[in-house]
Amino acid sequence: TRYISVTGVQTCALPILLGLNQSLSALGRVLGPALAGFLFVQLPGLPFYAAAALMVVGALISVRLVRPQSAA
């Protein structure tokens, strides 16, 4: 949440973004274990592969979104 609050987001959009961040975190905490349980029943190693794939996707998105800061 600190990254969202210091990235220069307009003040009126900040509460919306912080609320969206919290909502998606809560959704992940509810759906994550259920999905992992389902995947584990299919194949015991599958939840780990799915988590690794999600982390790769998240890393690619974060690399794409992070812009180099110009030296002032």
Side-chain angles (χ1 to χ4, degrees):
T1 57
R2 184 181 189 297
Y3 179 75
I4 293 173
S5 62
V6 297
T7 54
V9 176
Q10 293 179 353
T11 308
C12 61
L14 189 59
I16 295 169
L17 287 176
L18 291 174
L20 182 63
N21 185 29
Q22 290 292 87
S23 298
L24 292 176
S25 294
L27 188 64
R29 287 187 186 97
V30 170
L31 296 180
L35 180 62
F38 172 75
L39 293 175
F40 186 80
V41 169
Q42 305 303 317
L43 183 69
L46 202 52
F48 300 105
Y49 294 122
L54 286 173
M55 285 193 291
V56 167
V57 169
L60 293 174
I61 290 172
S62 66
V63 166
R64 176 94 167 115
L65 290 178
V66 173
R67 295 180 218 121
Q69 295 182 359
S70 60

